[in-house]
Amino acid sequence: MNYKNIRYSIIIPMYNEEAVIVETYRRLKKVMNEVAEPYELLFVNDGSSDRSLEIVKEYSDWDNRVKVIDLSRNFGHQIAITAGMDYASGDAVIVIDADLQDPPELIPNMIEKWKEGFEVVYAKRTKRKGESLFKRVSASLFYRTLRRLTDVDIPLDTGDFRLIDRKVCDQMNLLNEKNRFVRGLVSWVGFKQTAVEYERDERLYGESKYPLKKMLKLSLDGITSFSYKPLKAATYAGVLLSLSGFIYMLIVIFQKLFTDSTVTGWASLIVIQLLFFGFVLMILGVMGEYIGRIYEEAKDRPVYIVRETLDKKEQIRSDNHVAINTK
């Protein structure tokens, strides 16, 4: 296959998706064959411990449209997407998760919008099937909080399921930050963007790869990557707390000098101290999140390491990685 003639690169990050990967391949292949333009399926194995890698390797043996990027360990969903973008060759790059909650059948609609002149086409969820009330509420709060905290217009109720133009992908590959929030970076680089609405399906098989711990990390990455308002809020909280303490001190002095009533006992003092130290620790925690990310950037390690690729690939467009073996 001539890589210069590839029209669409489909990036499929996968982590322990053995139960669904066969159906994912079938549906993607069906949709892209109906599109009837040259394409490649880039499966990015993010350290799976099941048979996911073995299955897609078998596909690559007889289907030259299937490319496999095997990372040396689990680097995380956002990094797997980054690796796929680095290796993608198409004029348009489409990111879709392997769990089929995002329907491949929406891809032709995205392509249609792209051909109309839009350089980013993101899928916007109107309904989330099969998710708990906590997941729906927390996701809604996160997107709305992030939008208020940042100056970047990150669309509400969107994930990483989107189509981006070649020029957008090239700009993304120039961004070498370590704690990546891909959907935020796509908004940050700009270009002409639009949405395609859909109802998100329930996960077909398996379990969510985004438990609460990973969701919290993704939320922190999104906020700290695109906003320093938490630091400003910490400053305001510190000023307010200091001012409150000063006013309280004046009240105590006034009561001591000009009234017969004085503050008795230590209960009020203990409460104030607990509040004060709680605020201080919270402020230090906010600062620590930013300092920790500065530390990660300063080490300048590669974003990911590739164990092997099943594809005679030309030189990729990024320095985000280290490749050990390419077949």
Side-chain angles (χ1 to χ4, degrees):
M1 181 183 294
N2 187 346
Y3 290 103
K4 294 181 180 179
N5 293 332
I6 290 178
R7 188 67 163 161
Y8 306 108
S9 294
I10 319 297
I11 298 171
I12 311 106
M14 60 180 191
Y15 176 64
N16 292 340
E17 300 290 0
E18 175 185 354
V20 72
I21 200 67
V22 173
E23 181 66 9
T24 302
Y25 170 75
R26 186 193 68 80
R27 285 175 62 179
L28 280 170
K29 191 173 178 65
K30 181 176 183 295
V31 167
M32 296 312 299
N33 285 343
E34 290 173 355
V35 171
E37 293 183 86
Y39 68 91
E40 62 179 355
L41 301 178
L42 284 167
F43 288 92
V44 184
N45 180 46
D46 189 25
S48 298
S49 57
D50 62 1
R51 294 186 63 253
S52 299
L53 178 61
E54 181 181 338
I55 293 170
V56 295
K57 277 185 174 182
E58 291 175 1
Y59 290 143
S60 70
D61 287 340
W62 55 268
D63 186 347
N64 65 355
R65 294 183 179 89
V66 174
K67 323 297 177 189
V68 181
I69 304 166
D70 182 23
L71 303 185
S72 63
R73 64 171 175 84
N74 178 246
F75 285 90
H77 181 256
Q78 301 295 291
I79 302 303
I81 293 173
T82 299
M85 288 185 178
D86 288 343
Y87 278 81
S89 301
D91 298 327
V93 177
I94 301 163
V95 179
I96 183 170
D97 288 341
D99 58 14
L100 292 179
Q101 285 187 279
D102 301 321
E105 291 75 18
L106 196 65
I107 291 176
N109 295 349
M110 292 179 162
I111 291 174
E112 183 180 347
K113 290 290 185 183
W114 175 62
K115 289 182 176 179
E116 289 175 7
F118 292 99
E119 294 149 318
V120 175
V121 184
Y122 53 85
K124 183 173 182 176
R125 297 181 290 257
T126 58
K127 183 182 287 187
R128 305 168 70 108
K129 299 179 182 178
E131 294 185 351
S132 65
L133 177 63
F134 173 77
K135 180 68 176 290
R136 295 196 302 270
V137 171
S138 60
S140 177
L141 287 175
F142 164 66
Y143 285 114
R144 283 150 183 81
T145 301
L146 182 62
R147 190 164 194 170
R148 292 182 65 88
L149 286 176
T150 66
D151 296 325
V152 178
D153 185 16
I154 301 175
L156 297 175
D157 303 318
T158 61
D160 295 307
F161 183 27
R162 62 190 60 216
L163 178 152
I164 63 174
D165 188 83
R166 175 78 263 160
K167 66 174 74 71
V168 179
C169 186
D170 289 341
Q171 292 303 313
M172 291 285 294
N173 292 341
L174 295 176
L175 305 177
N176 294 327
E177 57 195 77
K178 314 304 181 201
N179 296 283
R180 302 176 74 84
F181 185 61
V182 172
R183 68 201 72 166
L185 292 174
V186 173
S187 296
W188 181 85
V189 297
F191 296 97
K192 191 176 180 182
Q193 307 197 9
T194 191
V196 173
E197 294 186 344
Y198 75 111
E199 292 185 5
R200 195 177 204 205
D201 293 331
E202 186 175 357
R203 186 180 176 86
L204 188 62
Y205 301 109
E207 298 178 352
S208 172
K209 302 306 184 294
Y210 263 105
L212 181 60
K213 181 179 178 181
K214 288 188 176 181
M215 286 297 298
L216 289 175
K217 183 184 183 306
L218 181 65
S219 301
L220 286 172
D221 287 343
I223 292 171
T224 55
S225 294
F226 295 97
S227 175
Y228 58 88
K229 288 182 180 180
L231 290 174
K232 294 177 69 175
T235 301
Y236 296 148
V239 171
L240 180 62
L241 189 62
S242 298
L243 182 61
S244 300
F246 180 73
I247 293 173
Y248 183 73
M249 181 189 69
L250 293 179
I251 293 172
V252 171
I253 293 174
F254 179 83
Q255 289 180 335
K256 178 68 175 178
L257 295 178
F258 301 106
T259 69
D260 295 331
S261 63
T262 58
V263 179
T264 58
W266 296 96
S268 59
L269 181 60
I270 293 299
V271 169
I272 291 171
Q273 284 184 330
L274 288 174
L275 287 173
F276 176 79
F277 287 119
F279 271 115
V280 169
L281 291 174
M282 182 184 72
I283 292 169
L284 288 175
V286 171
M287 294 175 62
E289 288 294 334
Y290 283 89
I291 293 171
R293 282 157 174 75
I294 294 171
Y295 175 63
E296 288 293 327
E297 298 295 331
K299 288 188 292 187
D300 198 28
R301 292 175 182 169
V303 175
Y304 60 87
I305 298 173
V306 175
R307 177 184 287 113
E308 66 173 348
T309 61
L310 276 73
D311 176 21
K312 295 178 180 178
K313 192 74 178 70
E314 296 174 358
Q315 185 176 359
I316 65 172
R317 300 173 172 85
S318 173
D319 295 325
N320 279 336
H321 83 304
V322 172
I324 295 177
N325 182 28
T326 301
K327 292 185 179 180

